[in-house]
Structure formats: structure tokens, C-alpha cells
Amino acid sequence: MNEEIVLSTAEMVRSKLSGEGSGHDWFHIERVWRNAVKIGKAEKADLFVVQLAALLHDLADDKIVASEAEGVSEINYWLEGEGVPSNVIEHVLTIIQTMSFKGGNNHLYGSLEAKVVQDADRLDAIGAIGIARTFTYAGSVGSPIFDPQYTVREEMTKKEYREEKSSAIHHFYEKLLKLKDLMNTETAIQMAEERHQFMEIYLEQFFKEYADEEG
């Protein structure tokens, strides 16, 4: 029964995110789902909760939907229609509403399942895939690759994080390079190391080429 609900939910999410162009598409969800299962198994988490939260997490994100409240309501409606128990629905919704970075202002719900899903999502924001997604998202919102007049924002509100001007390269310093040390589980900490190192190598090469062009 649970497996059928997970697969049905996956198909619904795949349909909803078809054509999404900001790097939060179905393929992102699929990678998060896969890594959430991997981490969840290693950490002995409730895989039913983990899979539902991983699959649904972006359907209530303000990068994707106009209203987070409406997104949460639609997710709740879907899960009720699938016959998911109310305690599981509450757990899934709480994870979804607290797992996003949002400028470092969110406070994650403290369950093991929440930690697993957040780690899986953050792993997809770093490394080679994270780099590709950063530039995809920057292009979708009209941000430049790099603009030296911008400064790295160390502290910002959720509104400033979303609305102030920045560049893709600045985003590495404002978020991506911080994620390795923000992983919750031992499994994800180990997985994050190589991806973090790759981003550092990439940035070193980026600024080497940038300096050559300036020269």
C-alpha cells in the first residue's frame, strides 16, 4: 500500500513539474528522492515519510509556487486523497515547511526524517550538479554569472535573500559553500565532501580565467 502511494505521488509530481525551468524540475526531485532513500536506509529512518517529503518538497516552495500556503493545502489534499494517515501527513508537511535554506533563516523540524530529506536536497545543491543548477536558476531569474560590484551577503532576511540583486558566483559564497558543514547525518557528511571540493576547484578555475580576461 505504501509503495503504491509513493509511486502515485511520484507520477503526480512528475506531471506537475514538467517543463519547470529553474533547476527545480522533476529530475531534481528524482535525485533528491534517490539520495533520501540512500541516506534514510543508512540512518534507519522511516522511508515512507522520507520518500513522500522528498517527492513533494518543492510543491510548496516559493521558488515554484505563487503561494506557499496554497501549495501546502494542495499537498495535504493529495495525501488525504491517497489515504495517508493524519500523523504521517502532519510529519511530511512539517518537514516540507522547515527544510528550505531561505537565506539561513529557516529552523528545521528536528526529526530524523526531516534531517534525511534536508540533507538529500542540499546534496543536490552542491557539486557538479549544484553548479549546473545554480547557473540554471540564475538565468531563470535574470541574475548575471558574476558581477564584481556585488558583495557577498553574510546575513540577510528571507525577503532580501529572494529579492536583492546578486550573481550566480556570489550564491556559492552565500549558500553553497556553507552546506557541507550544515549536513545533519553522518551519511550525508561523507557524501558532501567530494562535492564541496569540486566546487572549490571550480571557483579557483573561474577566478583564474576571470583574472586572465581582466588582464
Side-chain angles (χ1 to χ4, degrees), residues 53-145:
L55 285 165
L56 294 163
H57 76 275
D58 272 344
L59 297 190
D61 192 300
D62 61 0
K63 295 187 295 293
I64 302 297
V65 297
S67 166
E68 290 186 8
E70 287 182 14
V72 169
S73 179
E74 289 181 10
I75 291 170
N76 183 72
Y77 181 77
W78 168 264
L79 294 175
E80 285 182 344
E82 290 292 300
V84 177
S86 59
N87 65 312
V88 174
I89 294 176
E90 182 180 356
H91 195 173
V92 169
L93 292 177
T94 304
I95 293 171
I96 289 170
Q97 292 175 88
T98 61
M99 63 180 276
S100 183
F101 185 74
K102 297 190 190 317
N105 294 294
N106 248 18
H107 299 287
L108 178 69
Y109 177 59
S111 73
L112 173 59
E113 290 74 25
K115 292 173 182 178
V116 166
V117 178
Q118 185 181 66
D119 282 354
D121 189 39
R122 287 180 167 180
L123 282 168
D124 209 55
I126 61 177
I129 287 173
I131 291 170
R133 291 183 65 224
T134 295
F135 291 114
T136 296
Y137 183 75
S140 75
V141 297
S143 295
I145 292 173

Side-chain angles (χ1 to χ4, degrees), residues 135 138-139 142-147 150 165-170:
F135 291 114
S143 295
I145 292 173
F146 177 63
D147 188 330
Y150 296 148
K165 289 185 176 180
S166 188
S167 78
I169 292 296
H170 283 79

Side-chain angles (χ1 to χ4, degrees), residues 160-178:
E160 289 169 341
Y161 178 66
R162 284 284 188 260
E163 298 179 6
E164 281 187 352
K165 289 185 176 180
S166 188
S167 78
I169 292 296
H170 283 79
H171 188 63
F172 282 81
Y173 298 95
E174 293 171 353
K175 176 182 177 182
L176 307 189
L177 293 172
K178 297 178 179 180

